[in-house]
Amino acid sequence: MIPQALPEISLPARLRAAVRQRLGYAEPPWGLDLLITDACNLRCSYCPMWGERAPVLRKPTLMGVEDAERVLDGVAGFRPMIRLFGGEPFVHPRWPSIVAAVRERGMTCTAVTNGMRLWSDAESLVRTGLYAVGVSLDTEGDAHDADRGTDTFGRLRDGLEALHEAKRRLASDTPRIEIFTTVHEGTYDRLIDWARRLSDWPIDTLRVQHLIWFSSNQLDASMTLLNSALPSPHLFRSEDRTFCRDELPRVDPAVTAGQLSALRRADLPFRVELHPDLPAEEMRRYYGEREFRRRGRPACTTMESYAFVDPAGRLYPCLTFDMGNVFERPFLEVWNGKRFRAFRRLVRRERRLPLCHRCPD
């Protein structure tokens, strides 16, 4: 039986750290996502929560401000970066209070949004002291609206301009603006053109993320491993339905490699990040092999450095396995609890689960 805590015995620091790692412990995370609501004001076709393949949510949930403050009190001692997520975080009627609570505890706060509330909330976004806002945006015009809804592209562009103007008026450098673009069938062959079109937009970073999916064989192999390590592992956000596919996407790896190479060389007025930043040969396998596996890559460390809290208080790693409720128990108690430590021991042993090889982290 593995103890909940190491006995207080005198051990050299390095040996103690090695023992703790072997038992599945981790230092407090540097970052934490607060999913303050799973409600959303869009119905994007590809969304894992509200899209065409997503499970139907009976009733959207809002995280209470008091519950959020309880979590923030539990993590303030190690001051992680806090990112507000959803759903759409800005449909939460009290999101400014949650940002204020983060800032009052001396932590940095960012958010990820679909951009539909940027125009109406521009001044609040600046005044609250948000450090950065990430906007999910893959393409423009009719192609964008076909996936996300009529005139959503125009509303987003107007919102970014309004936010830029509010920053100028209030003499603020923040929030910094990041565009998140996913490589998929509709974008892979026009990434450099898309980046150049963004050159006159008021943005600071373009983050290009490769498509995430895994095969049914990878899912089955992962669940076999997880069942051997965790009691009743269950993906409560149904990634097994939304990200599992056995057909390869219609993405030409050679064309994609050329587009990414052009992005790396381009002289653009904003920073470009690639996630993951793969060598050309490995990227070709990424889109060309159904059972893709990374080569020569270090073990995943996301489950040791980052965590997520859903609106009901469930703490989970990148995959939505419930590790315990941080509204009911202290954060660090759940973070290094029996269930989370068992998950870490498994991932450390395997380096990555089969379904994790296309993870962007």
Side-chain angles (χ1 to χ4, degrees):
M1 180 176 178
I2 297 173
Q4 285 294 316
L6 291 176
E8 291 299 324
I9 57 177
S10 178
L11 288 174
R14 290 178 65 183
L15 177 58
R16 183 176 175 81
V19 173
R20 284 178 60 83
Q21 200 215 34
R22 188 174 183 85
L23 293 177
Y25 288 86
E27 294 301 312
W30 71 263
L32 178 66
D33 269 17
L34 287 185
L35 283 78
I36 61 175
T37 181
D38 49 26
C40 190
N41 50 357
L42 290 183
R43 293 294 180 268
C44 303
S45 62
Y46 49 80
C47 176
M49 293 175 64
W50 292 102
E52 294 170 353
R53 302 181 65 197
V56 176
L57 297 174
R58 295 180 182 272
K59 184 180 179 180
T61 307
L62 298 175
M63 182 181 291
V65 175
E66 297 78 10
D67 288 328
E69 289 175 339
R70 189 175 302 116
V71 177
L72 295 171
D73 286 337
V75 303
F78 53 91
R79 297 176 64 189
M81 184 276 293
I82 304 295
R83 185 170 70 166
L84 306 187
F85 216 103
E88 169 51 45
F90 297 135
V91 302
H92 193 299
R94 297 190 65 191
W95 70 262
S97 298
I98 297 175
V99 176
V102 175
R103 302 271 292 155
E104 287 165 5
R105 290 157 178 79
M107 293 179 284
T108 299
C109 191
T110 68
V112 174
T113 177
N114 60 32
M116 294 299 99
R117 297 290 296 268
L118 293 180
W119 189 88
S120 59
D121 291 345
E123 186 159 323
S124 295
L125 287 164
V126 179
R127 291 190 181 278
T128 55
L130 272 172
Y131 177 73
V133 174
V135 182
S136 176
L137 180 62
D138 292 339
T139 186
E140 62 183 336
D142 292 342
H144 175 278
D145 290 358
D147 281 332
R148 302 195 185 197
T150 302
D151 199 35
T152 51
F153 182 81
R155 290 170 62 191
L156 193 154
R157 178 67 189 266
D158 290 346
L160 286 174
E161 291 293 346
L163 183 55
H164 179 64
E165 173 58 24
K167 288 167 62 176
R168 186 201 61 77
R169 188 171 63 254
L170 297 170
S172 176
D173 291 331
T174 59
R176 300 183 69 78
I177 305 302
E178 303 174 341
I179 298 294
F180 297 169
T181 291
T182 300
V183 178
H184 57 68
E185 289 95 333
T187 62
Y188 78 92
D189 59 350
R190 59 196 69 182
L191 295 171
I192 186 61
D193 287 343
W194 173 233
R196 288 173 177 148
R197 288 191 180 99
L198 291 173
S199 292
D200 63 345
W201 287 42
I203 68 173
D204 300 285
T205 303
L206 170 62
R207 172 179 170 143
V208 178
Q209 178 174 297
H210 286 288
L211 187 65
I212 302 172
W213 87 96
F214 44 79
S215 71
S216 56
N217 286 340
Q218 289 172 319
L219 174 62
D220 291 344
S222 298
M223 294 308 297
T224 297
L225 290 168
L226 287 158
N227 274 293
S228 71
L230 295 175
S232 305
H234 171 65
L235 291 159
F236 62 79
R237 283 286 173 87
S238 300
E239 292 97 321
D240 50 342
R241 182 186 305 179
T242 55
F243 292 119
C244 184
R245 57 190 289 177
D246 285 323
E247 73 282 3
L248 290 172
R250 295 184 299 276
V251 172
D252 186 315
V255 172
T256 308
Q259 290 284 310
L260 296 178
S261 178
L263 272 179
R264 292 186 183 97
R265 298 192 309 267
D267 182 16
L268 298 166
F270 45 76
R271 185 173 71 251
V272 176
E273 298 178 357
L274 306 180
H275 295 264
D277 191 359
L278 301 173
E281 184 276 333
E282 189 163 8
M283 191 277 303
R284 289 186 178 95
R285 293 194 305 105
Y286 189 104
Y287 289 103
E289 296 178 3
R290 193 174 68 175
E291 312 293 338
F292 169 78
R293 294 182 66 87
R294 295 196 188 195
R295 294 175 182 168
R297 293 281 166 156
C300 176
T301 58
T302 300
M303 81 299 187
E304 314 203 25
S305 59
Y306 209 94
F308 304 78
V309 179
D310 88 327
R314 291 177 288 196
L315 182 71
Y316 59 99
C318 45
L319 297 167
T320 56
F321 295 114
D322 185 357
M323 298 300 174
N325 196 296
V326 293
F327 294 169
E328 301 167 358
R329 295 163 54 198
F331 180 91
L332 289 178
E333 182 180 305
V334 180
W335 172 251
N336 273 324
K338 181 178 179 180
R339 193 172 177 85
F340 219 140
R341 287 187 286 113
F343 180 76
R344 288 195 197 98
R345 290 197 303 273
L346 172 64
V347 176
R348 286 168 180 168
R349 187 189 78 203
E350 299 294 325
R351 300 179 66 80
R352 288 179 185 267
L353 299 180
L355 60 76
C356 298
H357 285 274
R358 287 190 179 92
C359 173
D361 294 323

